[in-house]
Each structure stands twice: as C-alpha cells, then as structure tokens.
C-alpha cells in the first residue's frame, strides 16, 4: 500500500500457508486476482484501500497437508472460486526411477532464465524508485484475438451436463482468463514487441491444458466415480 503494490506468498512447505490467515481471506484473494481494489479495516491503526494490487501465490504442499486442508476448508474454498484461480498440479512421483548416470548437466538454460528474471527485477526496482505504478497495456493481435474467442466458447460448451467440465464450473469459468494471462506473461517474459501472437497464445493454451487436466483429475465427480 505504501510502496509498490506487489507481494508474494511463496513457500516450499505450503502447509503453513494453507493454514494461515493471509491465504484464507478468500474475498480479498479473489478481489486481488480480479484486479479489484480491496479495503483493509483495522481497529488499532488506520484503515486503507489497496488499489491495483498484484499478488503471486506459489507453494508446494504435501498430500497429507492438502487433504487435511480440503477436508476442513475445501468446500468453502471451491465454493468461493479461489482454487479455480490457481494453476494446480499433482505430478506423478518419480521415486524409484531417479537413477544417476554420471552425465554432466548443462545449466545454460537456467542461467538464461535467471538473467531474464534479474532484468525484470531491475525494472521493478526502477519503478519502485520512481514511484511509478502505472501498468502497461498489451493486447492480442487480430488473429490471436479471434482464436482466444474460440477457446473461450469451447471451454464454455464443456461446462454443460455430462461434458468434460460438468461440476467444474468454477474452473471452466476462469480457464479462458488464465490462458489469456499466461499468454501475456509469456509475451512479456520473452521480450516480444507488438500484440500477443497466435504462437504465444497457443503455447499458453498448451500449458493451461496440462494444469486443467490435473485439476479435473483432482476434483471432478467423473474422476471419483
């Protein structure tokens, strides 16, 4: 509120975050995700309004901790639509197949990734120093725009009874938006100019589909049956 309106909840032991007050303030989490302003009411200090806040939530959670959370608060969290706003995955364990072959691993892509992250962080520091919180607007090009509409309509059709997203309306209602956001992130991270291209949108669609498949396996009635 006082400086740069960005924050993160990041943990490799997400059980503590799941049980914390910050994560479980569902209405504020949903409002920040949607880009709405939120009001912080305080009894002992000055209340304030946060406008244009951005929040990153990234956590790894053990099966037992996640199951315990879902048993106690899962219905409320799903009902509010919060879980549908996340990219959730439960990859298969590789235990028993993690053999060491003695080959030398290349770190060149990790180094390139870190260098790009560093540049973006420097840009953020410049904004912080200049008290500049203006957001940059980017758009789809005409081809990508038409394709995104077809993606959104296809997802909507799958929310109907007996379709793939039956009973997962919360997830389906946010999926097209998530694809749009991923495409924007890819576009900015790669340093592309102009509008978001068809190729970038399709890359985002592929990533989102993988996460969507995981969400369906975890939460759909069909999977349980």
């Amino acid at each position: 509120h006082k400086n740069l309106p960005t924050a993160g909840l990041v943990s490799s032991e997400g059980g503590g975050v799941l049980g914390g007050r910050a994560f479980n303030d569902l209405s504020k989490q949903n409002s920040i995700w949607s880009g709405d302003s939120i009001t912080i009411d305080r009894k002992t200090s000055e209340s304030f309004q946060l406008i244009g806040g951005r929040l990153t939530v990234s956590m790894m959670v053990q099966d037992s901790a996640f199951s315990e959370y879902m048993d106690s608060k899962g219905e409320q969290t799903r009902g509010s639509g919060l879980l549908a706003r996340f990219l959730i995955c439960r990859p298969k364990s590789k235990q028993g197949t993690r053999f060491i072959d003695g080959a030398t691993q290349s770190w060149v892509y990790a180094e390139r990734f870190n260098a790009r992250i560093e540049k973006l962080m420097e840009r953020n520091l410049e904004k912080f120093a200049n008290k500049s919180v203006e957001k940059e607007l980017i758009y789809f090009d005409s081809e990508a725009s038409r394709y995104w509409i077809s993606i959104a309509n296809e997802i909507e059709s799958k929310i109907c009874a007996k379709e793939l997203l039956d009973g997962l309306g919360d997830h389906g209602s946010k999926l097209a938006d998530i694809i749009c956001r991923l495409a924007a992130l890819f576009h900015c991270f790669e340093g592309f100019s102009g509008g978001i291209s068809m190729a970038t949108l399709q890359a985002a669609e592929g990533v989102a589909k993988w996460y969507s498949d995981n969400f369906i396996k975890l939460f759909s009635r069909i999977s349980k049956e």
Side-chain angles (χ1 to χ4, degrees):
H1 168 60
K2 292 182 179 179
N3 299 301
L4 199 64
T6 60
L9 288 171
V10 182
S11 176
S12 59
E13 295 293 339
V17 179
L18 283 177
R21 289 177 60 189
F23 183 78
N24 287 288
D25 196 333
L26 304 181
S27 62
K28 288 186 174 62
Q29 287 263 9
N30 289 343
S31 294
I32 290 177
W33 191 90
S34 300
D36 298 332
S37 60
I38 60 174
T39 301
I40 311 297
D41 293 314
R42 290 175 169 172
K43 291 181 180 179
T44 56
S45 58
E46 185 180 355
S47 299
F48 62 89
Q49 190 175 46
L50 178 64
I51 300 172
R54 292 292 183 271
L55 177 67
T56 290
V57 180
S58 175
M59 55 181 152
M60 292 182 281
V61 187
Q62 296 289 351
D63 265 344
S64 57
F66 187 71
S67 296
E68 183 180 336
Y69 176 81
M70 291 303 297
D71 288 341
S72 62
K73 298 179 180 177
E75 187 174 339
Q76 182 184 7
T77 310
R78 282 289 309 280
S80 73
L82 180 62
L83 286 184
R85 289 163 162 83
F86 290 110
L87 296 171
I88 296 178
C89 67
R90 188 190 186 192
K92 292 180 181 178
S93 173
K94 293 185 178 291
Q95 288 183 339
T97 62
R98 300 168 296 178
F99 303 115
I100 300 171
D101 58 12
T104 301
Q105 298 295 321
S106 171
W107 290 92
V108 61
Y109 295 112
E111 289 165 358
R112 286 170 58 185
F113 176 85
N114 290 337
R116 179 60 179 152
I117 288 289
E118 187 174 358
K119 282 188 177 180
L120 292 172
M121 291 180 72
E122 286 172 353
R123 278 181 58 187
N124 228 32
L125 281 171
E126 289 173 10
K127 283 177 173 281
F128 177 76
N130 297 328
K131 293 183 169 37
S132 170
V133 293
E134 291 288 325
K135 301 293 189 297
E136 298 174 26
L137 292 177
I138 55 174
Y139 302 87
F140 289 127
D141 65 23
S142 57
E143 184 184 26
S145 180
R146 289 192 297 271
Y147 185 65
W148 183 83
I149 291 172
S150 71
I151 290 173
N153 288 335
E154 182 184 3
I155 292 169
E156 185 66 22
S157 70
K158 291 179 179 178
I159 302 176
C160 298
K162 297 184 179 179
E163 293 291 338
L164 182 64
L165 298 177
D166 181 14
L168 296 170
D170 56 336
H171 173 61
S173 297
K174 298 293 182 290
L175 187 52
D177 199 339
I178 285 171
I179 293 170
C180 177
R181 292 171 186 228
L182 280 174
L185 287 170
F186 291 173
H187 179 86
C188 293
F189 187 86
E190 294 290 349
F192 295 145
S193 58
I196 300 170
S197 69
M198 181 78 160
T200 302
L201 177 56
Q202 287 176 326
E205 181 188 19
V207 171
K209 184 182 183 305
W210 185 84
Y211 281 101
S212 179
D213 288 345
N214 275 264
F215 195 100
I216 292 167
K217 289 175 185 175
L218 279 169
F219 298 119
S220 77
R221 290 197 298 263
I222 297 170
S223 293
K224 289 177 182 176
E225 290 166 5

mmCIF file of all heavy atoms in Angstrom, residues 18 22-33 55 57 59 69 73-88 170-171 174 178 215:
data_model
loop_
_atom_site.group_PDB
_atom_site.id
_atom_site.type_symbol
_atom_site.label_atom_id
_atom_site.label_comp_id
_atom_site.label_asym_id
_atom_site.label_seq_id
_atom_site.Cartn_x
_atom_site.Cartn_y
_atom_site.Cartn_z
ATOM 1 N N LEU A 18 -1.314 -22.643 3.776
ATOM 2 C CA LEU A 18 -2.716 -23.062 3.676
ATOM 3 C C LEU A 18 -3.481 -22.797 4.966
ATOM 4 O O LEU A 18 -4.666 -22.475 4.940
ATOM 5 C CB LEU A 18 -2.794 -24.556 3.332
ATOM 6 C CG LEU A 18 -2.521 -24.963 1.888
ATOM 7 C CD1 LEU A 18 -2.568 -26.473 1.747
ATOM 8 C CD2 LEU A 18 -3.524 -24.316 0.936
ATOM 9 N N ALA A 22 -3.591 -15.074 5.857
ATOM 10 C CA ALA A 22 -3.494 -14.352 4.580
ATOM 11 C C ALA A 22 -4.135 -15.148 3.449
ATOM 12 O O ALA A 22 -4.914 -14.615 2.650
ATOM 13 C CB ALA A 22 -2.031 -14.058 4.260
ATOM 14 N N PHE A 23 -3.825 -16.434 3.384
ATOM 15 C CA PHE A 23 -4.352 -17.255 2.293
ATOM 16 C C PHE A 23 -5.857 -17.456 2.419
ATOM 17 O O PHE A 23 -6.568 -17.556 1.421
ATOM 18 C CB PHE A 23 -3.640 -18.608 2.267
ATOM 19 C CG PHE A 23 -4.084 -19.497 1.127
ATOM 20 C CD1 PHE A 23 -3.619 -19.278 -0.160
ATOM 21 C CD2 PHE A 23 -4.981 -20.530 1.341
ATOM 22 C CE1 PHE A 23 -4.035 -20.070 -1.212
ATOM 23 C CE2 PHE A 23 -5.404 -21.339 0.293
ATOM 24 C CZ PHE A 23 -4.928 -21.109 -0.986
ATOM 25 N N ASN A 24 -6.349 -17.532 3.640
ATOM 26 C CA ASN A 24 -7.749 -17.884 3.850
ATOM 27 C C ASN A 24 -8.690 -16.683 3.939
ATOM 28 O O ASN A 24 -9.867 -16.844 4.275
ATOM 29 C CB ASN A 24 -7.878 -18.750 5.101
ATOM 30 C CG ASN A 24 -7.351 -20.151 4.859
ATOM 31 O OD1 ASN A 24 -7.970 -20.944 4.159
ATOM 32 N ND2 ASN A 24 -6.174 -20.444 5.400
ATOM 33 N N ASP A 25 -8.189 -15.492 3.620
ATOM 34 C CA ASP A 25 -9.081 -14.341 3.457
ATOM 35 C C ASP A 25 -9.586 -14.398 2.011
ATOM 36 O O ASP A 25 -9.062 -13.734 1.124
ATOM 37 C CB ASP A 25 -8.328 -13.040 3.741
ATOM 38 C CG ASP A 25 -9.279 -11.875 3.961
ATOM 39 O OD1 ASP A 25 -10.406 -11.928 3.423
ATOM 40 O OD2 ASP A 25 -8.893 -10.922 4.656
ATOM 41 N N LEU A 26 -10.582 -15.243 1.780
ATOM 42 C CA LEU A 26 -10.974 -15.625 0.419
ATOM 43 C C LEU A 26 -11.456 -14.437 -0.404
ATOM 44 O O LEU A 26 -11.123 -14.316 -1.594
ATOM 45 C CB LEU A 26 -12.064 -16.704 0.477
ATOM 46 C CG LEU A 26 -11.701 -17.968 1.268
ATOM 47 C CD1 LEU A 26 -12.848 -18.958 1.226
ATOM 48 C CD2 LEU A 26 -10.432 -18.605 0.727
ATOM 49 N N SER A 27 -12.243 -13.563 0.190
ATOM 50 C CA SER A 27 -12.794 -12.445 -0.576
ATOM 51 C C SER A 27 -11.691 -11.512 -1.066
ATOM 52 O O SER A 27 -11.731 -11.034 -2.214
ATOM 53 C CB SER A 27 -13.818 -11.672 0.265
ATOM 54 O OG SER A 27 -13.202 -11.105 1.411
ATOM 55 N N LYS A 28 -10.684 -11.264 -0.224
ATOM 56 C CA LYS A 28 -9.586 -10.380 -0.635
ATOM 57 C C LYS A 28 -8.715 -11.047 -1.697
ATOM 58 O O LYS A 28 -8.267 -10.405 -2.647
ATOM 59 C CB LYS A 28 -8.756 -9.956 0.577
ATOM 60 C CG LYS A 28 -9.462 -8.961 1.493
ATOM 61 C CD LYS A 28 -8.541 -8.466 2.583
ATOM 62 C CE LYS A 28 -9.203 -7.375 3.407
ATOM 63 N NZ LYS A 28 -10.414 -7.814 4.110
ATOM 64 N N GLN A 29 -8.477 -12.358 -1.550
ATOM 65 C CA GLN A 29 -7.709 -13.089 -2.565
ATOM 66 C C GLN A 29 -8.400 -12.994 -3.921
ATOM 67 O O GLN A 29 -7.772 -12.713 -4.945
ATOM 68 C CB GLN A 29 -7.583 -14.568 -2.160
ATOM 69 C CG GLN A 29 -6.634 -14.823 -1.030
ATOM 70 C CD GLN A 29 -5.254 -15.252 -1.520
ATOM 71 O OE1 GLN A 29 -4.950 -15.203 -2.693
ATOM 72 N NE2 GLN A 29 -4.428 -15.664 -0.598
ATOM 73 N N ASN A 30 -9.715 -13.236 -3.931
ATOM 74 C CA ASN A 30 -10.460 -13.208 -5.183
ATOM 75 C C ASN A 30 -10.485 -11.806 -5.790
ATOM 76 O O ASN A 30 -10.386 -11.649 -7.006
ATOM 77 C CB ASN A 30 -11.891 -13.698 -4.956
ATOM 78 C CG ASN A 30 -11.951 -15.189 -4.681
ATOM 79 O OD1 ASN A 30 -11.010 -15.922 -4.962
ATOM 80 N ND2 ASN A 30 -13.059 -15.651 -4.122
ATOM 81 N N SER A 31 -10.608 -10.806 -4.937
ATOM 82 C CA SER A 31 -10.656 -9.423 -5.430
ATOM 83 C C SER A 31 -9.340 -9.015 -6.071
ATOM 84 O O SER A 31 -9.323 -8.390 -7.134
ATOM 85 C CB SER A 31 -10.999 -8.463 -4.285
ATOM 86 O OG SER A 31 -12.313 -8.689 -3.817
ATOM 87 N N ILE A 32 -8.212 -9.375 -5.429
ATOM 88 C CA ILE A 32 -6.905 -9.036 -5.993
ATOM 89 C C ILE A 32 -6.714 -9.735 -7.333
ATOM 90 O O ILE A 32 -6.222 -9.144 -8.297
ATOM 91 C CB ILE A 32 -5.776 -9.421 -5.009
ATOM 92 C CG1 ILE A 32 -5.796 -8.493 -3.795
ATOM 93 C CG2 ILE A 32 -4.412 -9.344 -5.687
ATOM 94 C CD1 ILE A 32 -4.769 -8.845 -2.744
ATOM 95 N N TRP A 33 -7.125 -11.001 -7.426
ATOM 96 C CA TRP A 33 -6.991 -11.751 -8.679
ATOM 97 C C TRP A 33 -7.770 -11.069 -9.804
ATOM 98 O O TRP A 33 -7.329 -11.038 -10.956
ATOM 99 C CB TRP A 33 -7.505 -13.173 -8.474
ATOM 100 C CG TRP A 33 -7.186 -14.113 -9.594
ATOM 101 C CD1 TRP A 33 -6.071 -14.897 -9.717
ATOM 102 C CD2 TRP A 33 -7.989 -14.405 -10.749
ATOM 103 N NE1 TRP A 33 -6.123 -15.646 -10.874
ATOM 104 C CE2 TRP A 33 -7.295 -15.358 -11.526
ATOM 105 C CE3 TRP A 33 -9.229 -13.943 -11.194
ATOM 106 C CZ2 TRP A 33 -7.792 -15.854 -12.720
ATOM 107 C CZ3 TRP A 33 -9.724 -14.435 -12.388
ATOM 108 C CH2 TRP A 33 -9.013 -15.386 -13.131
ATOM 109 N N LEU A 55 -0.728 -9.956 -6.590
ATOM 110 C CA LEU A 55 -0.284 -10.976 -5.646
ATOM 111 C C LEU A 55 0.103 -12.248 -6.387
ATOM 112 O O LEU A 55 -0.629 -12.725 -7.244
ATOM 113 C CB LEU A 55 -1.398 -11.293 -4.645
ATOM 114 C CG LEU A 55 -1.106 -12.410 -3.634
ATOM 115 C CD1 LEU A 55 -0.003 -11.975 -2.671
ATOM 116 C CD2 LEU A 55 -2.367 -12.774 -2.855
ATOM 117 N N VAL A 57 0.973 -16.231 -5.658
ATOM 118 C CA VAL A 57 0.939 -17.318 -4.687
ATOM 119 C C VAL A 57 1.567 -18.537 -5.335
ATOM 120 O O VAL A 57 1.127 -18.987 -6.387
ATOM 121 C CB VAL A 57 -0.500 -17.648 -4.239
ATOM 122 C CG1 VAL A 57 -0.484 -18.790 -3.232
ATOM 123 C CG2 VAL A 57 -1.171 -16.423 -3.638
ATOM 124 N N MET A 59 3.179 -22.320 -4.097
ATOM 125 C CA MET A 59 3.533 -23.196 -2.983
ATOM 126 C C MET A 59 3.480 -24.669 -3.376
ATOM 127 O O MET A 59 2.716 -25.072 -4.248
ATOM 128 C CB MET A 59 2.632 -22.940 -1.785
ATOM 129 C CG MET A 59 1.158 -23.042 -2.043
ATOM 130 S SD MET A 59 0.234 -22.696 -0.537
ATOM 131 C CE MET A 59 -1.282 -22.042 -1.199
ATOM 132 N N TYR A 69 -6.404 -29.856 4.507
ATOM 133 C CA TYR A 69 -6.989 -28.542 4.190
ATOM 134 C C TYR A 69 -8.326 -28.706 3.469
ATOM 135 O O TYR A 69 -9.305 -28.021 3.779
ATOM 136 C CB TYR A 69 -6.014 -27.738 3.335
ATOM 137 C CG TYR A 69 -6.583 -26.410 2.884
ATOM 138 C CD1 TYR A 69 -6.569 -25.309 3.743
ATOM 139 C CD2 TYR A 69 -7.143 -26.252 1.620
ATOM 140 C CE1 TYR A 69 -7.098 -24.086 3.342
ATOM 141 C CE2 TYR A 69 -7.677 -25.041 1.215
ATOM 142 C CZ TYR A 69 -7.647 -23.964 2.080
ATOM 143 O OH TYR A 69 -8.186 -22.760 1.693
ATOM 144 N N LYS A 73 -11.557 -27.026 4.853
ATOM 145 C CA LYS A 73 -11.940 -25.761 4.198
ATOM 146 C C LYS A 73 -12.153 -25.889 2.695
ATOM 147 O O LYS A 73 -12.392 -24.892 2.017
ATOM 148 C CB LYS A 73 -10.870 -24.697 4.458
ATOM 149 C CG LYS A 73 -10.691 -24.365 5.932
ATOM 150 C CD LYS A 73 -9.611 -23.324 6.142
ATOM 151 C CE LYS A 73 -9.460 -23.004 7.621
ATOM 152 N NZ LYS A 73 -8.357 -22.040 7.873
ATOM 153 N N GLY A 74 -12.074 -27.107 2.181
ATOM 154 C CA GLY A 74 -12.141 -27.303 0.746
ATOM 155 C C GLY A 74 -13.444 -26.848 0.121
ATOM 156 O O GLY A 74 -13.460 -26.199 -0.934
ATOM 157 N N GLU A 75 -14.564 -27.171 0.769
ATOM 158 C CA GLU A 75 -15.865 -26.794 0.213
ATOM 159 C C GLU A 75 -16.016 -25.285 0.113
ATOM 160 O O GLU A 75 -16.492 -24.755 -0.890
ATOM 161 C CB GLU A 75 -16.981 -27.375 1.093
ATOM 162 C CG GLU A 75 -18.373 -27.189 0.508
ATOM 163 C CD GLU A 75 -19.444 -27.887 1.319
ATOM 164 O OE1 GLU A 75 -19.109 -28.815 2.088
ATOM 165 O OE2 GLU A 75 -20.624 -27.505 1.184
ATOM 166 N N GLN A 76 -15.574 -24.577 1.149
ATOM 167 C CA GLN A 76 -15.647 -23.115 1.149
ATOM 168 C C GLN A 76 -14.717 -22.526 0.093
ATOM 169 O O GLN A 76 -15.088 -21.588 -0.625
ATOM 170 C CB GLN A 76 -15.271 -22.581 2.535
ATOM 171 C CG GLN A 76 -15.358 -21.072 2.658
ATOM 172 C CD GLN A 76 -14.888 -20.570 4.018
ATOM 173 O OE1 GLN A 76 -14.370 -21.343 4.826
ATOM 174 N NE2 GLN A 76 -15.045 -19.285 4.271
ATOM 175 N N THR A 77 -13.501 -23.077 -0.025
ATOM 176 C CA THR A 77 -12.529 -22.547 -0.979
ATOM 177 C C THR A 77 -12.984 -22.792 -2.414
ATOM 178 O O THR A 77 -12.861 -21.915 -3.272
ATOM 179 C CB THR A 77 -11.148 -23.195 -0.748
ATOM 180 O OG1 THR A 77 -10.814 -23.111 0.628
ATOM 181 C CG2 THR A 77 -10.073 -22.475 -1.540
ATOM 182 N N ARG A 78 -13.493 -23.999 -2.691
ATOM 183 C CA ARG A 78 -14.022 -24.287 -4.024
ATOM 184 C C ARG A 78 -15.243 -23.420 -4.312
ATOM 185 O O ARG A 78 -15.413 -22.894 -5.411
ATOM 186 C CB ARG A 78 -14.414 -25.765 -4.142
ATOM 187 C CG ARG A 78 -13.286 -26.753 -4.357
ATOM 188 C CD ARG A 78 -12.652 -26.670 -5.736
ATOM 189 N NE ARG A 78 -13.585 -26.716 -6.829
ATOM 190 C CZ ARG A 78 -14.155 -27.811 -7.335
ATOM 191 N NH1 ARG A 78 -13.871 -29.001 -6.796
ATOM 192 N NH2 ARG A 78 -14.983 -27.742 -8.353
ATOM 193 N N GLY A 79 -16.118 -23.295 -3.308
ATOM 194 C CA GLY A 79 -17.341 -22.528 -3.499
ATOM 195 C C GLY A 79 -17.077 -21.065 -3.808
ATOM 196 O O GLY A 79 -17.816 -20.437 -4.568
ATOM 197 N N SER A 80 -16.019 -20.522 -3.231
ATOM 198 C CA SER A 80 -15.681 -19.116 -3.473
ATOM 199 C C SER A 80 -15.002 -18.916 -4.829
ATOM 200 O O SER A 80 -14.879 -17.790 -5.318
ATOM 201 C CB SER A 80 -14.747 -18.600 -2.375
ATOM 202 O OG SER A 80 -13.436 -19.134 -2.539
ATOM 203 N N GLY A 81 -14.532 -20.032 -5.430
ATOM 204 C CA GLY A 81 -13.838 -19.942 -6.716
ATOM 205 C C GLY A 81 -12.352 -19.692 -6.593
ATOM 206 O O GLY A 81 -11.675 -19.481 -7.599
ATOM 207 N N LEU A 82 -11.814 -19.732 -5.364
ATOM 208 C CA LEU A 82 -10.394 -19.410 -5.195
ATOM 209 C C LEU A 82 -9.494 -20.454 -5.858
ATOM 210 O O LEU A 82 -8.562 -20.105 -6.588
ATOM 211 C CB LEU A 82 -10.040 -19.278 -3.715
ATOM 212 C CG LEU A 82 -8.574 -18.946 -3.425
ATOM 213 C CD1 LEU A 82 -8.202 -17.595 -4.024
ATOM 214 C CD2 LEU A 82 -8.291 -18.934 -1.929
ATOM 215 N N LEU A 83 -9.758 -21.744 -5.613
ATOM 216 C CA LEU A 83 -8.891 -22.780 -6.176
ATOM 217 C C LEU A 83 -8.902 -22.748 -7.698
ATOM 218 O O LEU A 83 -7.902 -23.077 -8.335
ATOM 219 C CB LEU A 83 -9.313 -24.163 -5.671
ATOM 220 C CG LEU A 83 -8.967 -24.497 -4.223
ATOM 221 C CD1 LEU A 83 -9.364 -25.928 -3.902
ATOM 222 C CD2 LEU A 83 -7.474 -24.307 -3.954
ATOM 223 N N ALA A 84 -10.029 -22.365 -8.285
ATOM 224 C CA ALA A 84 -10.131 -22.301 -9.745
ATOM 225 C C ALA A 84 -9.231 -21.217 -10.334
ATOM 226 O O ALA A 84 -8.928 -21.240 -11.523
ATOM 227 C CB ALA A 84 -11.576 -22.043 -10.154
ATOM 228 N N ARG A 85 -8.791 -20.297 -9.507
ATOM 229 C CA ARG A 85 -7.933 -19.209 -9.974
ATOM 230 C C ARG A 85 -6.465 -19.609 -10.020
ATOM 231 O O ARG A 85 -5.636 -18.861 -10.520
ATOM 232 C CB ARG A 85 -8.119 -17.980 -9.084
ATOM 233 C CG ARG A 85 -9.466 -17.289 -9.252
ATOM 234 C CD ARG A 85 -9.769 -16.351 -8.087
ATOM 235 N NE ARG A 85 -10.813 -15.381 -8.396
ATOM 236 C CZ ARG A 85 -12.105 -15.620 -8.321
ATOM 237 N NH1 ARG A 85 -12.535 -16.814 -7.948
ATOM 238 N NH2 ARG A 85 -12.979 -14.674 -8.613
ATOM 239 N N PHE A 86 -6.135 -20.788 -9.490
ATOM 240 C CA PHE A 86 -4.742 -21.233 -9.437
ATOM 241 C C PHE A 86 -4.438 -22.261 -10.517
ATOM 242 O O PHE A 86 -5.339 -22.939 -11.027
ATOM 243 C CB PHE A 86 -4.430 -21.858 -8.074
ATOM 244 C CG PHE A 86 -4.403 -20.871 -6.936
ATOM 245 C CD1 PHE A 86 -5.395 -20.887 -5.971
ATOM 246 C CD2 PHE A 86 -3.388 -19.948 -6.838
ATOM 247 C CE1 PHE A 86 -5.373 -19.976 -4.927
ATOM 248 C CE2 PHE A 86 -3.353 -19.042 -5.791
ATOM 249 C CZ PHE A 86 -4.350 -19.054 -4.837
ATOM 250 N N LEU A 87 -3.170 -22.382 -10.836
ATOM 251 C CA LEU A 87 -2.681 -23.494 -11.644
ATOM 252 C C LEU A 87 -2.277 -24.587 -10.667
ATOM 253 O O LEU A 87 -1.292 -24.459 -9.956
ATOM 254 C CB LEU A 87 -1.479 -23.055 -12.482
ATOM 255 C CG LEU A 87 -1.742 -21.963 -13.534
ATOM 256 C CD1 LEU A 87 -0.427 -21.481 -14.129
ATOM 257 C CD2 LEU A 87 -2.661 -22.469 -14.619
ATOM 258 N N ILE A 88 -3.073 -25.650 -10.619
ATOM 259 C CA ILE A 88 -2.856 -26.710 -9.639
ATOM 260 C C ILE A 88 -2.390 -27.973 -10.341
ATOM 261 O O ILE A 88 -2.940 -28.356 -11.375
ATOM 262 C CB ILE A 88 -4.155 -26.996 -8.859
ATOM 263 C CG1 ILE A 88 -4.557 -25.760 -8.053
ATOM 264 C CG2 ILE A 88 -3.988 -28.198 -7.942
ATOM 265 C CD1 ILE A 88 -5.856 -25.920 -7.293
ATOM 266 N N ASP A 170 -16.597 -23.706 -11.709
ATOM 267 C CA ASP A 170 -15.668 -22.716 -11.167
ATOM 268 C C ASP A 170 -14.372 -22.693 -11.978
ATOM 269 O O ASP A 170 -13.860 -21.628 -12.353
ATOM 270 C CB ASP A 170 -15.374 -23.003 -9.691
ATOM 271 C CG ASP A 170 -14.846 -24.411 -9.434
ATOM 272 O OD1 ASP A 170 -15.106 -25.314 -10.253
ATOM 273 O OD2 ASP A 170 -14.144 -24.612 -8.419
ATOM 274 N N HIS A 171 -13.863 -23.881 -12.289
ATOM 275 C CA HIS A 171 -12.631 -23.996 -13.077
ATOM 276 C C HIS A 171 -12.846 -23.522 -14.514
ATOM 277 O O HIS A 171 -12.058 -22.732 -15.042
ATOM 278 C CB HIS A 171 -12.168 -25.454 -13.060
ATOM 279 C CG HIS A 171 -11.013 -25.752 -13.958
ATOM 280 N ND1 HIS A 171 -9.786 -25.147 -13.811
ATOM 281 C CD2 HIS A 171 -10.898 -26.603 -15.019
ATOM 282 C CE1 HIS A 171 -8.950 -25.605 -14.747
ATOM 283 N NE2 HIS A 171 -9.614 -26.483 -15.486
ATOM 284 N N LYS A 174 -12.955 -19.748 -15.214
ATOM 285 C CA LYS A 174 -11.709 -18.980 -15.088
ATOM 286 C C LYS A 174 -10.645 -19.416 -16.088
ATOM 287 O O LYS A 174 -9.643 -18.720 -16.268
ATOM 288 C CB LYS A 174 -11.136 -19.145 -13.664
ATOM 289 C CG LYS A 174 -12.047 -18.610 -12.566
ATOM 290 C CD LYS A 174 -12.159 -17.110 -12.650
ATOM 291 C CE LYS A 174 -13.029 -16.532 -11.541
ATOM 292 N NZ LYS A 174 -14.446 -16.856 -11.705
ATOM 293 N N ILE A 178 -7.305 -17.490 -17.491
ATOM 294 C CA ILE A 178 -5.966 -17.966 -17.127
ATOM 295 C C ILE A 178 -5.088 -18.103 -18.373
ATOM 296 O O ILE A 178 -3.908 -17.721 -18.364
ATOM 297 C CB ILE A 178 -6.070 -19.314 -16.377
ATOM 298 C CG1 ILE A 178 -6.559 -19.074 -14.939
ATOM 299 C CG2 ILE A 178 -4.727 -20.045 -16.361
ATOM 300 C CD1 ILE A 178 -6.898 -20.334 -14.174
ATOM 301 N N PHE A 215 -6.362 -30.513 -12.648
ATOM 302 C CA PHE A 215 -7.499 -30.036 -11.847
ATOM 303 C C PHE A 215 -8.670 -31.001 -11.980
ATOM 304 O O PHE A 215 -9.321 -31.361 -10.988
ATOM 305 C CB PHE A 215 -7.912 -28.636 -12.309
ATOM 306 C CG PHE A 215 -8.823 -27.913 -11.352
ATOM 307 C CD1 PHE A 215 -8.338 -26.947 -10.485
ATOM 308 C CD2 PHE A 215 -10.187 -28.197 -11.315
ATOM 309 C CE1 PHE A 215 -9.181 -26.287 -9.600
ATOM 310 C CE2 PHE A 215 -11.040 -27.542 -10.439
ATOM 311 C CZ PHE A 215 -10.531 -26.581 -9.580
#
